Amino acid sequence: MPKDVVFSGSVRECLLHYGNNLPGKDGKRSQKARQPMAEFVHVGHYLIFRWLNNEHMPIGENLLRVMVWLYTQNYKVAEWEKLPKLAQQLILILAHKLRSFDQMQGDLRYSSRDSLLSVLRGANMAPAKIRAAHALIARFPINTEATKAEIVELKQTTGSVDHRVIIDS
């Protein structure tokens, strides 16, 4: 659970709260205020604006990244809390861009994006997939209890896609 929880609720409720509490006189109407989230989730400002105004909800990979963004902003997101720790660790690897969705799909030998998304939403994994997931997590260690302030450094090793997140404990 994040330290000093700002707000607890569903993704929708947390997005509304986050949007209503953005700094500045223009708050969520300000592109500058939405920029950090847009960059993290890797979507445009207008889509963030629609999510924060409850006009549209994130889906698929975007939903996973939004949950992590909210978590790093000290929100207790109900859907995140219900996920198995293994799924959380895999989502953190994706959200912090340590592996792309396609790379993870290949690493875990899933034939379709929907199969991987299902697992990342908490569906059971076959034993061989669990072993592959643990191997992937060992390559990209990231603490599920980490918050944005605790993510100290992101390093890219030369000649590979191997990135490391160093957590200050």
Side-chain angles (χ1 to χ4, degrees):
M1 174 171 25
K3 299 172 178 81
D4 303 322
V5 174
V6 172
F7 183 83
S8 295
S10 67
V11 171
R12 181 182 303 274
E13 293 165 337
C14 289
L15 279 170
L16 288 172
H17 183 272
Y18 179 77
N20 289 332
N21 289 281
L22 281 173
K25 69 175 186 155
D26 292 330
K28 63 186 165 188
R29 290 188 305 275
S30 165
Q31 185 172 326
K32 184 177 180 181
R34 297 189 311 265
Q35 180 152 351
M37 184 179 187
E39 287 176 0
F40 185 86
V41 180
H42 201 62
V43 297
H45 297 277
Y46 181 69
L47 191 52
I48 297 290
F49 181 77
R50 291 186 66 201
W51 293 343
L52 298 178
N53 281 301
N54 200 23
E55 294 173 16
H56 186 66
M57 279 295 294
I59 59 172
E61 291 175 64
N62 289 339
L63 175 60
L64 302 176
R65 287 190 179 100
V66 164
M67 284 194 298
V68 173
W69 171 258
L70 291 167
Y71 185 83
T72 64
Q73 303 303 303
N74 296 325
Y75 280 77
K76 185 176 178 184
V77 181
E79 295 89 338
W80 176 259
E81 298 290 325
K82 292 177 187 173
L83 288 172
K85 187 169 180 126
L86 185 62
Q88 288 179 347
Q89 290 172 309
L90 293 171
I91 293 167
L92 286 168
I93 289 169
L94 287 172
H96 290 292
K97 298 174 181 78
L98 302 176
R99 294 297 272 170
S100 71
F101 197 88
D102 291 338
Q103 288 170 324
M104 185 174 286
Q105 183 182 335
D107 293 338
L108 301 179
R109 296 180 184 95
Y110 280 103
S111 59
S112 73
R113 296 175 67 82
D114 288 341
S115 297
L116 179 54
L117 269 174
S118 179
V119 164
L120 295 175
R121 289 185 192 126
N124 290 331
M125 295 175 79
K129 307 279 190 206
I130 292 172
R131 285 190 296 277
H134 282 294
L136 183 61
I137 290 164
R139 284 181 57 205
F140 303 100
I142 187 164
N143 182 345
T144 58
E145 297 301 314
T147 63
K148 184 179 179 186
E150 294 169 316
I151 298 173
V152 177
E153 186 177 344
L154 181 62
K155 291 184 177 178
Q156 180 176 6
T157 59
T158 55
S160 76
V161 292
D162 189 13
H163 298 68
R164 300 285 175 195
V165 174
I166 300 171
I167 306 300
D168 185 19
S169 30

